[in-house]
Amino acid sequence: MDIKRVGVVGAGTMGNGIAHVFARSGYNVVLCDVEQRFLDRGLETIGKNLEREVAKNKITIDDRASALKRIETAIDRGRLAECDFVIAAATEKFEIKTEILRDLDRLARPEVILASNTSSISITKLAALTKRPDKVIGMHFFNPVPVMKLVEVIRGLATSQETFAAVRDLSLKLEKTPVEVNDAPGFVSNRVLMPLLNEAMFAVMEGVATAEAVDEVFKLGMAHPMGPLTLADFIGLDVCLDIMRVLHNGLGDPKYRPCPLLIKMVDAGWLGRKSGRGFYKY
């Protein structure tokens, strides 16, 4: 089907980034969240990020204005019924994802593909809760969405080839690079990345080195653009913990046990950059 109008559920870091790239690529976007203040904050972020692209000569001032005009906001999910494609980009919690997918399944036309921007939750499980499991797929963008080129396109057990091909082509139109991945806990990116971050946390907890020292080793010794603990703070320590728990529960291997220091920091509200404190102060 011809996709012209896209729905994005969730105006947070990932949701506003996804809305940004769709609008910049010429799609009309309905950005939906539960409160207007979240939508206002999301639009403000999109505006600032588009302005950065203007400053770097990636887009023109007119392009920025046109992209912003293509984004409308909504608190009522019923507005998403008019969309040709919908992606859920809400919190990485299974209960929240399932509630949204069920509602979207009820609202969207039968032929509409429902995507989930999940970094670890099973697409097969989400799809099974809908009446269109062949049209449910994972579309895992990376933060910051306007900058990062990769999109993991995750097939659930029932995802059709037609659905996969449509989302692959859509990713290319967004000037992203789609990589096909089958449904498994953490997919590829987080199954490999999160245990690295988790082990770095164990090194700090056990007094092997400071957070600064661990990060310096990876920046200078492995040519990582940022160290694992800086990256964990950037992602959000609560998100890291959620993903580690998905890996631990889904794969049943003790090597995925979340670091106790990570659990303690999340309990304290030290979530990283977004809360002002994590392994570093911001």
Side-chain angles (χ1 to χ4, degrees), residues 44-143:
E44 181 181 358
T45 299
I46 292 169
K48 288 179 180 177
N49 288 337
L50 286 167
E51 191 60 51
R52 287 194 187 97
E53 292 179 327
V54 172
K56 294 178 180 179
N57 294 317
K58 291 184 176 180
I59 62 172
T60 66
I61 293 175
D62 288 343
D63 291 335
R64 177 185 183 274
S66 297
L68 287 172
K69 284 180 182 178
R70 282 192 284 268
I71 302 172
E72 59 181 280
T73 62
I75 296 173
D76 178 13
R77 277 192 206 154
R79 300 265 295 283
L80 299 170
E82 307 164 8
C83 295
D84 307 312
F85 177 88
V86 186
I87 180 165
T91 307
E92 192 73 357
K93 301 278 189 185
F94 183 72
E95 298 77 14
I96 295 173
K97 296 279 191 190
T98 55
E99 186 273 326
I100 292 172
L101 260 291
R102 282 194 177 109
D103 206 25
L104 294 179
D105 187 40
R106 177 182 64 83
L107 290 168
R109 302 189 307 276
E111 69 273 18
V112 171
I113 293 170
L114 303 180
S116 178
N117 176 62
T118 178
S119 54
S120 62
I121 293 172
S122 170
I123 299 302
T124 299
K125 283 185 179 179
L126 292 174
L129 300 170
T130 73
K131 295 176 181 177
R132 65 183 85 196
D134 61 314
K135 291 183 171 60
V136 176
I137 195 166
M139 200 177 186
H140 181 202
F141 289 86
F142 288 75
N143 186 28

Side-chain angles (χ1 to χ4, degrees), residues 119 184-196 243 247 251 255-256:
S119 54
F187 316 128
V188 171
S189 57
N190 282 317
R191 182 168 178 169
V192 176
L193 174 64
M194 285 300 160
L196 167 63
I243 296 171
L247 290 170
L251 296 169
K255 72 181 180 181
Y256 297 111

Side-chain angles (χ1 to χ4, degrees), residues 1-257:
M1 69 179 288
D2 190 19
I3 297 173
K4 294 182 178 179
R5 190 177 182 84
V6 173
V8 180
V9 182
T13 300
M14 298 306 294
N16 71 59
I18 292 167
H20 174 143
V21 297
F22 272 107
R24 188 182 61 192
S25 298
Y27 294 91
N28 293 316
V29 177
V30 179
L31 182 60
C32 184
D33 213 317
V34 292
E35 293 185 34
Q36 188 61 46
R37 62 192 177 100
F38 299 146
L39 293 167
D40 292 341
R41 189 185 308 155
L43 279 178
E44 181 181 358
T45 299
I46 292 169
K48 288 179 180 177
N49 288 337
L50 286 167
E51 191 60 51
R52 287 194 187 97
E53 292 179 327
V54 172
K56 294 178 180 179
N57 294 317
K58 291 184 176 180
I59 62 172
T60 66
I61 293 175
D62 288 343
D63 291 335
R64 177 185 183 274
S66 297
L68 287 172
K69 284 180 182 178
R70 282 192 284 268
I71 302 172
E72 59 181 280
T73 62
I75 296 173
D76 178 13
R77 277 192 206 154
R79 300 265 295 283
L80 299 170
E82 307 164 8
C83 295
D84 307 312
F85 177 88
V86 186
I87 180 165
T91 307
E92 192 73 357
K93 301 278 189 185
F94 183 72
E95 298 77 14
I96 295 173
K97 296 279 191 190
T98 55
E99 186 273 326
I100 292 172
L101 260 291
R102 282 194 177 109
D103 206 25
L104 294 179
D105 187 40
R106 177 182 64 83
L107 290 168
R109 302 189 307 276
E111 69 273 18
V112 171
I113 293 170
L114 303 180
S116 178
N117 176 62
T118 178
S119 54
S120 62
I121 293 172
S122 170
I123 299 302
T124 299
K125 283 185 179 179
L126 292 174
L129 300 170
T130 73
K131 295 176 181 177
R132 65 183 85 196
D134 61 314
K135 291 183 171 60
V136 176
I137 195 166
M139 200 177 186
H140 181 202
F141 289 86
F142 288 75
N143 186 28
V145 180
V147 176
M148 301 296 279
K149 291 294 185 183
L150 175 63
V151 176
E152 274 185 313
V153 182
I154 304 112
R155 290 178 180 266
L157 188 62
T159 304
S160 69
Q161 177 59 29
E162 182 182 11
T163 296
F164 170 78
V167 171
R168 177 197 59 207
D169 293 347
L170 184 60
S171 301
L172 292 170
K173 289 175 182 175
L174 298 177
E175 299 182 350
K176 301 297 183 184
T177 302
V179 176
E180 179 180 357
V181 178
N182 287 321
D183 193 19
F187 316 128
V188 171
S189 57
N190 282 317
R191 182 168 178 169
V192 176
L193 174 64
M194 285 300 160
L196 167 63
L197 306 191
N198 197 54
E199 196 62 30
M201 296 170 195
F202 270 109
V204 173
M205 184 184 78
E206 294 169 4
V208 176
T210 64
E212 292 83 357
V214 171
D215 279 351
E216 200 73 358
V217 166
F218 276 85
K219 287 190 290 182
L220 299 182
M222 289 77 172
H224 288 202
M226 68 174 73
L229 299 171
T230 300
L231 179 56
D233 275 357
F234 184 74
I235 292 168
L237 299 186
D238 52 336
V239 175
C240 293
L241 179 57
D242 286 341
I243 296 171
M244 287 306 302
R245 283 173 169 159
V246 168
L247 290 170
H248 193 211
N249 294 333
L251 296 169
D253 192 322
K255 72 181 180 181
Y256 297 111
R257 176 175 67 97

